[in-house]
Amino acid sequence: MNTLVEPIKISDSEWEVMRVVWTKGRTDAKTINDLLSSSKGWKLATTKTLLGRLVKKNILHTEQNGKKFVYSAKVTEEQTVRSATENIFSHICAKKVGSTIADLVEEAELTQEDIDNIQAVLWEKAPVSEIACNCIPGQCICKEHGTEE
């Protein structure tokens, strides 16, 4: 798997295809479609279109094996999740990242192991004294833009 510097941007439907590819390792369009068609209502042509988009985005590798194409991931699930998280955080005020993370934790179903891991990360995290706003004027209310939060 290669390390991409550019953000990994995929649609919700492409995420579903990638979840199958990450689970299977190497797979073909029919196998993916068989797994997703009942829950998604997709035809094989839809699955093939999504696979083609993922290949074009350099997220999937494809090789021909006889008459069919076999797909494998060029990026890991972890890389894709990290990229999606960075993308979300780039769209909100830097001052709201902490409360957004708290909201995510509050909404998530977590095992004790998950909670222990999150707590361990927080204990090791060195706090900063202040977070600078990264918004354009008028996008949020903070002292950088004339009004205290």
Side-chain angles (χ1 to χ4, degrees):
M1 308 241 176
N2 63 9
T3 304
L4 294 182
V5 193
E6 292 194 25
I8 302 165
K9 295 182 180 177
I10 60 176
S11 70
D12 290 346
S13 295
E14 291 167 345
W15 268 101
E16 295 300 321
V17 170
M18 288 305 300
R19 290 180 69 196
V20 174
V21 175
W22 287 319
T23 301
K24 295 287 187 186
R26 291 172 39 87
T27 191
D28 60 80
K30 184 178 179 328
T31 301
I32 295 167
N33 193 69
D34 288 348
L35 290 168
L36 296 176
S37 64
S38 62
S39 63
K40 300 295 173 191
W42 294 346
K43 303 282 187 226
L44 184 57
T46 303
T47 301
K48 286 182 176 183
T49 297
L50 292 167
L51 287 165
R53 289 179 189 165
L54 290 163
V55 169
K56 189 174 183 178
K57 291 179 181 183
N58 203 29
I59 292 169
L60 279 181
H61 172 75
T62 183
E63 62 185 65
Q64 195 161 358
N65 186 359
K67 289 186 173 186
K68 65 181 172 182
F69 289 93
V70 177
Y71 300 90
S72 57
K74 286 186 160 189
V75 296
T76 65
E77 185 173 11
E78 292 77 17
Q79 286 172 306
T80 309
V81 169
R82 181 173 295 273
S83 183
T85 303
E86 290 169 359
N87 184 47
I88 290 169
F89 289 157
S90 74
H91 293 298
I92 63 173
C93 177
K95 290 178 169 257
K96 295 181 179 163
V97 169
S99 62
T100 301
I101 292 170
D103 289 344
L104 292 170
V105 168
E106 189 172 33
E107 293 296 319
E109 286 188 33
L110 301 169
T111 65
Q112 186 60 52
E113 183 180 355
D114 295 330
I115 293 168
D116 293 344
N117 287 337
I118 292 167
Q119 288 175 331
V121 169
L122 289 174
W123 278 113
E124 295 296 317
K125 185 81 175 164
V128 296
S129 58
E130 189 174 340
I131 296 173
C133 176
N134 61 342
C135 296
I136 59 171
Q139 187 177 4
C140 73
I141 302 169
C142 64
K143 67 182 178 183
E144 282 87 355
H145 298 122
T147 309
E148 286 289 327
E149 282 189 313

